[in-house]
Amino acid sequence: MAGRTHALARSRRVEGPSPDPCPVVSRASRQCQLVTAILARSGGAASGGWIGDGEGAEQAEGTSIGPRTFVIYGIIMEAIEDEAPDEMVDKAGQTLIVPEVGMAFKSEDQAYEMYNTYAGKVGFSVRKSHTKRRVDGSISQKYIVCSNQGYRESESSQDTKRAGCNARIHRETESSQDAKRTGCNARIQFSVNREGIWRVQKVVLDHNHDFASPNKSHKLRSQRRVIEADKRLISQIREAGMKPAQVYEFMKEFYGGADKMPFPRMGCNNEIGWQRKKYLEPNDAQTLLEYLKNKQIEDPTFFYAIQVDEVDGQIANFFWADSQSIMDYACFGDVVSFDTTFQTDKLEMPFAPLIGTNHHMQIIIFGAALIFNESVESFVWLFETFLTAMSGKHPSTIFTDQDATMAGAIAYVFRNTSHRLCLWQICLNAAKHLGHVIQKHSEKFVHDFKKCVYEDRSETLFIKMWHDLVTEYNLEDNQWMADLYNLRKKWAAVYNDSFTADMTLTHRSEGMKNVFKKKFRRKLSFSEFLVEYEKVSASLRENELDADFNSCRKNPVIYIPNLPLLKTAAESYTRRVYSEFEEEFKQQFSFSCKLLQADGSNLTYMVMHMQSVHGATVVFNKENMTITCSCRKYESIGILCMHALKVFNANDVFILPSQYILNRWTKYAKRGFYIEKEGTETEDLKMRAARISRKVASISLKCSLSKDLLDYLEKAINKLDLEADNSLSKIEEKSNEGPSV
């Protein structure tokens, strides 16, 4: 077999002080050496080089000459695939550290890193081999060898003899079954003293096989590593919601193609799997407790409480709310939705968020609970704890599902609060109990059912519509419908006598449920659940910030630009609420308005849709500009209804009375409320590192138009890398120093 040799250029030492007899070599404490390597498919010859010394010496660009510095100037000859075997191409500027006897390292990792980096540049793979230990078990000697060292078990002893090597047979360590070892003797031998210093004792640089070409060196086994920066990036894109199968494709694009990838698909998948394992803590209760304590350290106004079972002393329930949630409740705590139908983890423990709606009609979180024991006592404890966190403020309305235990606790704690049933939950239950009707009549029954549920003009009309519904679909004997009718005052719109902030609409309730169900659709461990909860909370708050910005910076397009009533509404309401108000304003033009009675300044009107014989009764006082409607939309939602706006129009009222602009729907609903946090003026190290990383990426893109700029940038980064290693080494040495006596 033709030999393959890696030869160093001849060199001589630059004048200067003699080297330290026991140097600890690291990237930060030595100059990189330029080396000449012959990468031909057959035959090898050493290539000469030289170094200069003194002021008259010629110097390679980008290198420095000084005391205790080796400088080797040369080129790497690289075989180009698909060309004649003896064709060579010069590739200048390749820099690597060549192993030499006497080099010393602080740890096994540093020693391995040096040799593996060298191997990657030259084009071979390495693996750890023999280890010799002292009597006390500490390592005294270690070999790191070329991966082609020795022979496989599958290779016959005759093949071994023909190769002229008596090396013992090693077990297979490469992933490829058909890969052949060649009995290569290239290796590096370390001796390790009792202080843990790894010193190069022997080096063999000659190989008896071809090297991998540069465009394939990243596929070598020892080069397929996921570095810390890649791990961080993989973690971040996984946290952003990217599926595992998509992560590797993203990384390929990030690095510019599969041939540029520093690790294989399996390495990427292994890293994702390892990150998942981080969440598998055995003690879930302790994990949550530590989470809550850490949150309170970060946020001094963070509130949490734990209920302990009096019988067995075990933790029963958790509740927590951060400062943002407490402030949001102070602003928008008039309506609360409470739901325990979310299953969070492998223990199937209910997660119960307390949810509301902000001035953009978006979902906000007032607090969260984990319920171990769904008893009346547990719910009473939870609701009382919630009131404690919120300074005793009771909501006007609370929405829940049809749970008798929960209803009893609400009646006991929230005595001044209207308890309403969630219409979205009722519609879901209707699909379960009336599936045969829905299947037979498809969308018609659903339409008629919802029309009846949302009927708000009069109780008489609601009762008539309900009986018509039951009769038309032969549901007179259906027990579920009978039970639902008995509870009608808790869910029917016509019986609503409290503020609901439009949370009665099923699509809003469904949106609230989906926010969590999308995140908690799979079985989560405790820690994974906490991470997902944080992400949901952060996402909702980011949505609010976006809506705040758009409402303050962008004016909506007004339906009738010169109408003062709409202009006032557009200037006052958030964009989302103005859209709802304008829709009500437009709807009035499909209604007729008939005066029924005039009693002094009080005018009573019947407002009806042109295609209906039923309408809403509106009473308007011309003196104090007060108006009420039988549909009670303003009392329930806080926005004037189409019926009231029709009466305003009939009486030439073109300015929106200020008493009908509810502050909780305006752009400035949170004015006067703020969160006082400590330490928010300065960014932490993680935030600063992320900002600098973004800046470096931006600079890299700027330089991508010029090879010279990229070369300059890379040299600067390499220099900073060395300086960082040096500084970290000094910090580590200082931390390891014992106290002075």
Side-chain angles (χ1 to χ4, degrees):
M1 178 184 293
R4 179 79 175 188
T5 305
H6 174 78
L8 287 176
R10 295 186 302 274
S11 63
R12 58 189 176 89
R13 188 183 304 275
V14 177
E15 293 180 0
S18 59
D20 190 331
C22 183
V24 178
V25 181
S26 68
R27 291 179 62 192
S29 63
R30 63 176 180 267
Q31 296 288 336
C32 289
Q33 301 169 309
L34 296 176
V35 64
T36 300
I38 307 301
L39 302 180
R41 294 190 182 277
S42 61
S47 174
W50 57 269
I51 62 169
D53 59 345
E55 295 181 357
E58 187 173 346
Q59 181 178 340
E61 183 180 355
T63 64
S64 60
I65 299 177
R68 298 177 54 195
T69 302
F70 287 98
V71 180
I72 302 174
Y73 180 79
I75 56 174
I76 289 181
M77 307 301 293
E78 175 179 303
I80 302 298
E81 287 190 343
D82 302 327
E83 295 185 8
D86 57 348
E87 285 187 355
M88 315 293 287
V89 62
D90 293 351
K91 187 174 182 179
Q94 293 288 337
T95 305
L96 71 159
I97 300 168
V98 181
E100 290 184 346
V101 174
M103 285 181 170
F105 302 86
K106 291 182 178 180
S107 66
E108 180 179 0
D109 289 341
Q110 287 186 1
Y112 178 85
E113 179 67 21
M114 179 277 298
Y115 191 43
N116 190 48
T117 301
Y118 163 79
K121 292 283 189 179
V122 174
F124 66 96
S125 183
V126 301
R127 56 186 167 85
K128 297 177 182 179
S129 185
H130 309 303
T131 301
K132 292 184 180 180
R133 297 182 181 273
R134 300 183 182 89
V135 177
D136 60 2
S138 62
I139 297 176
S140 62
Q141 209 170 63
K142 183 79 173 183
Y143 290 78
I144 302 178
V145 302
C146 172
S147 60
N148 280 339
Q149 188 264 347
Y151 294 91
R152 299 190 182 282
E153 293 178 350
S154 60
E155 298 172 24
S156 66
S157 59
Q158 291 181 351
D159 291 336
T160 303
K161 291 179 181 179
R162 280 198 298 269
C165 178
N166 293 321
R168 69 182 182 88
I169 299 174
H170 293 275
R171 292 182 179 178
E172 180 177 345
T173 58
E174 298 289 342
S175 60
S176 176
Q177 294 291 336
D178 57 356
K180 296 288 184 180
R181 291 183 183 171
T182 62
C184 181
N185 287 321
R187 65 186 181 277
I188 185 169
Q189 178 180 331
F190 292 93
S191 63
V192 187
N193 64 21
R194 292 190 177 275
E195 286 71 37
I197 301 299
W198 288 60
R199 188 184 301 279
V200 178
Q201 191 174 22
K202 184 177 180 179
V203 178
V204 178
L205 296 178
D206 294 341
H207 296 259
N208 67 351
H209 55 86
D210 290 338
F211 294 137
S213 58
N215 67 330
K216 291 187 175 65
S217 61
H218 66 284
K219 294 181 177 293
L220 294 168
R221 185 179 182 86
S222 65
Q223 304 302 317
R224 295 180 297 187
R225 296 174 300 157
V226 184
I227 64 174
E228 194 61 36
D230 292 326
K231 291 178 181 179
R232 177 67 62 86
L233 182 58
I234 290 172
S235 175
Q236 289 173 338
I237 58 181
R238 279 288 291 138
E239 289 176 3
M242 189 175 288
K243 296 179 181 179
Q246 298 172 321
V247 173
Y248 185 75
E249 297 302 318
F250 172 87
M251 297 300 291
K252 280 200 304 185
E253 290 295 321
F254 181 79
Y255 276 105
D259 59 324
K260 308 294 192 307
M261 281 290 289
F263 51 85
R265 185 184 298 273
M266 183 60 69
C268 184
N269 292 340
N270 289 341
E271 176 60 25
I272 293 172
W274 181 85
Q275 289 179 9
R276 284 173 173 168
K277 291 179 182 178
K278 292 190 298 184
Y279 296 114
L280 301 178
E281 292 91 355
N283 194 333
D284 288 335
Q286 184 63 31
T287 298
L288 181 57
L289 189 58
E290 290 298 322
Y291 166 81
L292 297 175
K293 288 181 178 179
N294 290 334
K295 292 294 290 183
Q296 195 168 60
I297 293 173
E298 297 172 7
D299 178 4
T301 57
F302 183 89
F303 180 95
Y304 76 92
I306 301 170
Q307 184 188 31
V308 178
D309 193 298
E310 296 180 356
V311 178
D312 56 14
Q314 297 295 315
I315 292 176
N317 301 299
F318 288 94
F319 170 79
W320 70 93
D322 63 10
S323 56
Q324 180 70 51
S325 295
I326 294 171
M327 188 201 73
D328 285 341
Y329 185 80
C331 297
F332 309 114
D334 37 26
V335 183
V336 173
S337 175
F338 181 67
D339 189 0
T340 61
T341 60
F342 302 108
Q343 298 296 329
T344 59
D345 69 347
K346 294 172 289 187
L347 300 177
E348 297 187 350
M349 180 180 60
F351 164 60
L354 291 105
I355 298 171
T357 182
N358 64 13
H359 51 324
H360 302 288
M361 295 186 172
Q362 296 172 327
I363 302 164
I364 51 176
I365 303 175
F366 297 140
L370 290 170
I371 308 296
F372 287 78
N373 179 11
E374 294 183 81
S375 62
V376 174
E377 292 77 12
S378 290
F379 286 127
V380 167
W381 173 86
L382 175 59
F383 294 145
E384 288 180 341
T385 302
F386 176 74
L387 287 178
T388 300
M390 304 303 167
S391 303
K393 177 182 176 179
H394 288 243
S396 299
T397 306
I398 184 168
F399 286 93
T400 70
D401 56 15
Q402 293 173 255
D403 186 284
T405 303
M406 196 184 303
I410 289 172
Y412 179 78
V413 178
F414 297 113
R415 298 179 183 179
N416 300 320
T417 297
S418 174
H419 180 202
R420 307 284 297 170
L421 298 181
C422 176
L423 288 179
W424 181 75
Q425 199 70 40
I426 289 176
C427 290
L428 283 183
N429 291 333
K432 296 177 183 177
H433 296 280
L434 305 175
H436 61 291
V437 179
I438 296 174
Q439 185 177 9
K440 184 177 180 180
H441 299 282
S442 188
E443 296 180 0
K444 186 177 186 303
F445 173 79
V446 175
H447 174 268
D448 293 345
F449 181 79
K450 288 185 176 181
K451 186 177 180 181
C452 182
V453 166
Y454 288 111
E455 174 53 50
D456 57 7
R457 288 170 290 183
S458 70
E459 181 181 5
T460 302
L461 183 57
F462 165 77
I463 293 174
K464 179 181 182 304
M465 292 177 67
W466 181 267
H467 288 302
D468 290 345
L469 180 75
V470 170
T471 302
E472 181 178 354
Y473 295 100
N474 300 317
L475 296 172
E476 295 91 340
D477 298 327
N478 187 283
Q479 188 59 46
W480 184 81
M481 287 289 283
D483 293 340
L484 186 63
Y485 182 73
N486 292 334
L487 292 171
R488 62 190 180 279
K489 291 187 177 181
K490 282 186 173 291
W491 55 264
V494 71
Y495 294 105
N496 181 36
D497 58 356
S498 64
F499 186 77
T500 64
D502 210 18
M503 288 178 69
T504 55
L505 294 182
T506 54
H507 69 273
R508 300 210 193 287
S509 300
E510 184 177 2
M512 293 179 186
K513 305 299 184 292
N514 286 339
V515 165
F516 291 103
K517 287 189 181 295
K518 286 180 180 179
K519 290 292 183 181
F520 303 151
R521 62 183 179 273
R522 57 191 173 90
K523 298 294 183 181
L524 300 174
S525 70
F526 237 77
S527 292
E528 284 180 310
F529 157 71
L530 294 174
V531 169
E532 292 299 329
Y533 173 79
E534 286 287 323
K535 287 160 64 174
V536 168
S537 180
S539 176
L540 293 176
R541 289 167 183 175
E542 183 65 26
N543 291 341
E544 181 178 325
L545 287 176
D546 290 341
D548 279 340
F549 180 83
N550 290 331
S551 289
C552 293
R553 296 298 183 96
K554 300 177 182 179
N555 295 321
V557 178
I558 301 175
Y559 180 57
I560 303 176
N562 296 324
L563 184 65
L565 186 143
L566 289 180
K567 288 180 67 176
T568 301
E571 292 170 358
S572 303
Y573 291 135
T574 61
R575 290 173 64 88
R576 180 69 179 84
V577 176
Y578 174 76
S579 176
E580 295 281 334
F581 180 84
E582 189 179 81
E583 187 60 31
E584 291 289 328
F585 182 84
K586 292 177 182 178
Q587 290 288 337
Q588 66 164 301
F589 298 114
S590 299
F591 285 74
S592 62
C593 180
K594 180 181 179 181
L595 179 63
L596 299 180
Q597 182 181 353
D599 184 10
S601 60
N602 288 325
L603 306 177
T604 303
Y605 290 87
M606 174 61 68
V607 181
M608 294 186 299
H609 193 274
M610 294 178 181
Q611 298 177 354
S612 175
V613 295
H614 302 285
T617 303
V618 180
V619 178
F620 174 54
N621 187 299
K622 297 180 66 174
E623 288 187 2
N624 56 23
M625 299 298 291
T626 58
I627 192 166
T628 58
C629 179
S630 60
C631 77
R632 296 181 57 81
K633 186 180 182 75
Y634 180 79
E635 289 76 11
S636 175
I637 298 176
I639 301 174
L640 285 175
C641 63
M642 61 190 78
H643 313 113
L645 292 173
K646 184 67 177 181
V647 172
F648 274 167
N649 194 21
N651 287 273
D652 297 331
V653 177
F654 302 124
I655 297 177
L656 184 62
S658 59
Q659 67 263 34
Y660 293 110
I661 302 176
L662 194 64
N663 184 66
R664 70 107 62 215
W665 294 129
T666 66
K667 302 174 184 179
Y668 313 105
K670 300 178 81 169
R671 179 174 290 175
F673 295 91
Y674 65 95
I675 304 172
E676 186 174 346
K677 286 188 178 181
E678 298 179 2
T680 55
E681 295 81 4
T682 58
E683 59 183 352
D684 58 24
L685 294 179
K686 183 178 179 181
M687 291 172 60
R688 188 177 182 187
R691 176 174 57 79
I692 294 173
S693 176
R694 184 181 180 189
K695 191 172 184 178
V696 171
S698 177
I699 295 172
S700 298
L701 289 174
K702 285 182 182 179
C703 295
S704 63
L705 299 177
S706 167
K707 180 181 181 301
D708 292 338
L709 282 176
L710 283 175
D711 290 343
Y712 180 79
L713 177 64
E714 188 168 15
K715 287 178 182 178
I717 291 176
N718 288 338
K719 183 179 178 181
L720 285 174
D721 191 17
L722 291 171
E723 292 176 355
D725 282 349
N726 191 27
S727 297
L728 290 172
S729 296
K730 290 179 179 178
I731 293 173
E732 184 179 353
E733 289 174 1
K734 190 173 181 179
S735 64
N736 291 333
E737 291 178 359
S740 57
V741 180

